[in-house]
Amino acid sequence: MRGREQLAAFDPGGLEVLEADLAAFEAALQRENHTLKRSLTDPHLFSGIGNAYSDEILHRSGLSPVKLTQKLTAEEVERLYQATRATLVEWVERLRREAKEGFPEKVTAFREDMAVHGRYQLPCPDCGTPVQRIRYAENETNYCPKCQTQGKLLADRSLSRLLRQDWPRTLEELEQRMRRT
Ligand SMILES: [Zn+2]
């Protein structure tokens, strides 16, 4: 009993998406109005979705990492729910298979078979656009501007500071620059 209480004290209580229905997912997602990236990686809201999986989930659902959770339409919430389940199932199976073959690997690190996570400037597997990033403290978020943000580049604070006005704001601007260089 004591052990269970102690365990409960350490469990942040996030939702297990593979055991949850759409309504429970929606309730957890919209409990607070944060960016999708922040809500998906908050262990108090969702269990077991780290930085890597959240990038993959958002890419699969075609949603911007900085979209606010309470601004999602019902259709977008459902798309995100399905993408979250599909991504988790896919990676659980892949890691299980690799463990059996004797190649266990952590998913927190760069994986070549991910779509966008850890793939800054590499082509998006769906459209070929270079993957972009937003960097902060210890992490970075990777996304495809064509599949997820209607071609808009999200401000990267460290880069913005460095480049000042030179930071391209749209995908078109970036592509023009790439053509020029
Ligand atoms: Zn793409």
Side-chain angles (χ1 to χ4, degrees), residues 59 124 126-129 144 146-147:
H59 179 260
C124 163
D126 292 346
C127 73
T129 301
C144 170
K146 191 160 190 180
C147 296

mmCIF file of all heavy atoms in Angstrom, residues 59 124 126-129 144 146-147, ligand 1:
data_model
loop_
_atom_site.group_PDB
_atom_site.id
_atom_site.type_symbol
_atom_site.label_atom_id
_atom_site.label_comp_id
_atom_site.label_asym_id
_atom_site.label_seq_id
_atom_site.Cartn_x
_atom_site.Cartn_y
_atom_site.Cartn_z
ATOM 1 N N HIS A 59 3.682 15.981 -37.447
ATOM 2 C CA HIS A 59 3.909 15.869 -38.895
ATOM 3 C C HIS A 59 2.857 14.962 -39.516
ATOM 4 O O HIS A 59 2.271 15.281 -40.540
ATOM 5 C CB HIS A 59 5.314 15.336 -39.178
ATOM 6 C CG HIS A 59 5.600 15.177 -40.636
ATOM 7 N ND1 HIS A 59 5.528 13.953 -41.276
ATOM 8 C CD2 HIS A 59 5.913 16.084 -41.591
ATOM 9 C CE1 HIS A 59 5.803 14.141 -42.563
ATOM 10 N NE2 HIS A 59 6.046 15.409 -42.785
ATOM 11 N N CYS A 124 11.565 16.415 -46.297
ATOM 12 C CA CYS A 124 10.361 15.790 -45.738
ATOM 13 C C CYS A 124 10.045 14.567 -46.596
ATOM 14 O O CYS A 124 10.038 14.666 -47.824
ATOM 15 C CB CYS A 124 9.213 16.796 -45.782
ATOM 16 S SG CYS A 124 7.575 16.057 -45.579
ATOM 17 N N ASP A 126 7.294 13.214 -47.238
ATOM 18 C CA ASP A 126 6.030 13.345 -47.966
ATOM 19 C C ASP A 126 6.106 14.335 -49.126
ATOM 20 O O ASP A 126 5.437 14.155 -50.140
ATOM 21 C CB ASP A 126 4.907 13.784 -47.019
ATOM 22 C CG ASP A 126 4.564 12.691 -46.021
ATOM 23 O OD1 ASP A 126 5.004 11.539 -46.249
ATOM 24 O OD2 ASP A 126 3.890 12.978 -45.028
ATOM 25 N N CYS A 127 6.880 15.422 -48.961
ATOM 26 C CA CYS A 127 6.861 16.464 -49.999
ATOM 27 C C CYS A 127 8.235 16.934 -50.434
ATOM 28 O O CYS A 127 8.351 17.698 -51.386
ATOM 29 C CB CYS A 127 6.026 17.651 -49.529
ATOM 30 S SG CYS A 127 6.863 18.620 -48.261
ATOM 31 N N GLY A 128 9.281 16.523 -49.738
ATOM 32 C CA GLY A 128 10.639 16.870 -50.157
ATOM 33 C C GLY A 128 11.136 18.232 -49.687
ATOM 34 O O GLY A 128 12.288 18.596 -49.915
ATOM 35 N N THR A 129 10.269 19.003 -49.008
ATOM 36 C CA THR A 129 10.680 20.315 -48.487
ATOM 37 C C THR A 129 11.677 20.129 -47.340
ATOM 38 O O THR A 129 11.489 19.225 -46.521
ATOM 39 C CB THR A 129 9.438 21.074 -47.969
ATOM 40 O OG1 THR A 129 8.521 21.227 -49.044
ATOM 41 C CG2 THR A 129 9.811 22.432 -47.419
ATOM 42 N N CYS A 144 7.704 20.237 -40.950
ATOM 43 C CA CYS A 144 7.758 20.527 -42.378
ATOM 44 C C CYS A 144 6.861 21.731 -42.649
ATOM 45 O O CYS A 144 5.663 21.667 -42.396
ATOM 46 C CB CYS A 144 7.274 19.330 -43.190
ATOM 47 S SG CYS A 144 7.048 19.771 -44.927
ATOM 48 N N LYS A 146 5.753 22.927 -45.381
ATOM 49 C CA LYS A 146 4.740 22.718 -46.413
ATOM 50 C C LYS A 146 3.584 21.871 -45.878
ATOM 51 O O LYS A 146 2.417 22.186 -46.100
ATOM 52 C CB LYS A 146 5.367 22.056 -47.638
ATOM 53 C CG LYS A 146 4.450 22.040 -48.833
ATOM 54 C CD LYS A 146 5.236 21.841 -50.101
ATOM 55 C CE LYS A 146 4.367 22.055 -51.321
ATOM 56 N NZ LYS A 146 5.129 21.867 -52.555
ATOM 57 N N CYS A 147 3.900 20.791 -45.182
ATOM 58 C CA CYS A 147 2.858 19.883 -44.683
ATOM 59 C C CYS A 147 2.156 20.422 -43.434
ATOM 60 O O CYS A 147 1.045 20.014 -43.127
ATOM 61 C CB CYS A 147 3.457 18.520 -44.337
ATOM 62 S SG CYS A 147 4.130 17.629 -45.745
HETATM 63 ZN ZN ZN B 1 6.308 17.890 -46.066
#
